[in-house]
Amino acid sequence: MYKHEKQLFHPVRVEKANPQYAALLQEQLGGANGELKSAMQYMSQSFRIKDPAIKDLFMDIAAEELSHMEMVGTTINMLNGHDVEAAGVPAGEVETHVLLGLNPGLINASGYSWTADYVTVTGDLCADLLSNIASEQRAKVVYEYLYRQINDKLVRETIDFLLNREEAHNALFREAFNRVQDTGSNRDFGVTEDSRLYFNLSSPSPTNHFGDTKAAPPSFNNPSQRPS
């Protein structure tokens, strides 16, 4: 059950209308790393989770992502201003001005519609948690790019808040992964010697290798270490 509280998760304001930047911010409303994607992904993944605490974590973060979506949509609405004027968006999507009457749409910065193809669900908790960690990291990167391209201090305050919340979600998913990392696909595979081999296929190779630092990693250049 959901209940809509008539208060934003965090206040949003803008110094002035900026339709061009509103088009950029659409990426975090209807894009592949946006708030709607995150909410739908975490909610969808939660249905098969048996651990009550982790299930609640997924649903709580999904609910917060919907709140973030409301914040982003409200900010876009403010940035779009009051005049339908496609010329105010010299590059990027113009659908807001020619189809939506300035209403924020479920589209990305190029005008492509949101799709459920953005959502990753495997039914394996380890795999889904790693997907979510990566998802939060990508969302942080997009917000960082957006932050650099606006001088509006009030919009920057909103993005700064959202960036910090993405980091909080990232940390929570990492903590959950640490709790379950020996279950599911992590338990079934990656248990033989083959999962711990590193083949040095770069020539010439750097002095410091990944993997075991106490011994040189196996190399196809060494006949004794070539796979049969």
Side-chain angles (χ1 to χ4, degrees):
M1 181 182 73
Y2 286 90
K3 180 181 179 182
H4 178 233
E5 297 285 349
K6 295 183 179 180
Q7 177 181 346
L8 291 177
F9 193 72
H10 186 273
V12 301
R13 298 175 296 166
V14 304
E15 290 182 340
K16 61 181 179 179
N18 188 335
Q20 178 65 71
Y21 190 79
L24 299 183
L25 193 55
Q26 280 283 162
E27 191 65 32
Q28 289 301 76
L29 185 64
N33 300 298
E35 303 293 355
L36 176 59
K37 171 267 177 78
S38 297
M40 293 299 98
Q41 178 162 305
Y42 308 155
M43 186 184 301
S44 298
Q45 291 170 345
S46 74
F47 298 138
R48 290 281 297 176
I49 296 175
K50 297 180 176 59
D51 185 309
I54 296 181
K55 185 182 183 72
D56 281 355
L57 174 68
F58 276 53
M59 287 298 291
D60 288 343
I61 296 180
E64 184 179 338
E65 300 289 12
L66 288 174
S67 299
H68 293 179
M69 180 183 169
E70 185 179 25
M71 289 174 59
V72 172
T74 301
T75 304
I76 291 171
N77 184 54
M78 293 176 176
L79 290 167
N80 274 330
H82 303 289
D83 299 316
V84 176
E85 183 183 4
V89 189
E93 61 91 3
V94 296
E95 281 78 0
T96 299
H97 293 265
V98 300
L99 291 175
L100 302 174
L102 303 183
N103 195 81
L106 299 184
I107 53 180
N108 68 8
S110 298
Y112 292 105
S113 297
W114 187 88
T115 170
D117 290 340
Y118 295 152
V119 174
T120 299
V121 181
T122 70
D124 180 84
L125 187 53
C126 287
D128 284 347
L129 278 166
L130 287 173
S131 292
N132 297 350
I133 291 167
S135 178
E136 294 291 334
Q137 197 74 20
R138 289 193 300 270
K140 281 176 58 182
V141 170
V142 176
Y143 273 128
E144 286 172 2
Y145 292 155
L146 287 167
Y147 187 91
R148 297 172 194 167
Q149 297 178 77
I150 186 71
N151 293 320
D152 188 312
K153 294 180 180 179
L154 299 179
V155 174
R156 278 192 159 197
E157 286 179 6
T158 296
I159 295 177
D160 183 69
F161 172 81
L162 293 170
L163 264 169
N164 279 280
R165 292 309 302 160
E166 302 295 351
E167 178 58 33
H169 297 168
N170 197 325
L172 288 166
F173 283 135
R174 289 174 186 272
E175 183 180 345
F177 180 75
N178 288 335
R179 287 180 51 181
V180 303
Q181 61 179 315
D182 295 324
T183 67
S185 58
N186 275 20
R187 176 196 61 210
D188 300 332
F189 299 95
V191 295
T192 69
E193 182 181 353
D194 291 332
S195 69
R196 293 182 288 276
L197 293 178
Y198 171 85
F199 294 105
N200 176 19
L201 302 178
S202 299
S203 181
S205 59
T207 303
N208 297 320
H209 299 284
F210 288 100
D212 186 1
T213 58
K214 296 181 181 179
S219 169
F220 284 151
N221 295 324
N222 186 338
S224 67
Q225 294 178 324
R226 290 175 185 166
S228 58

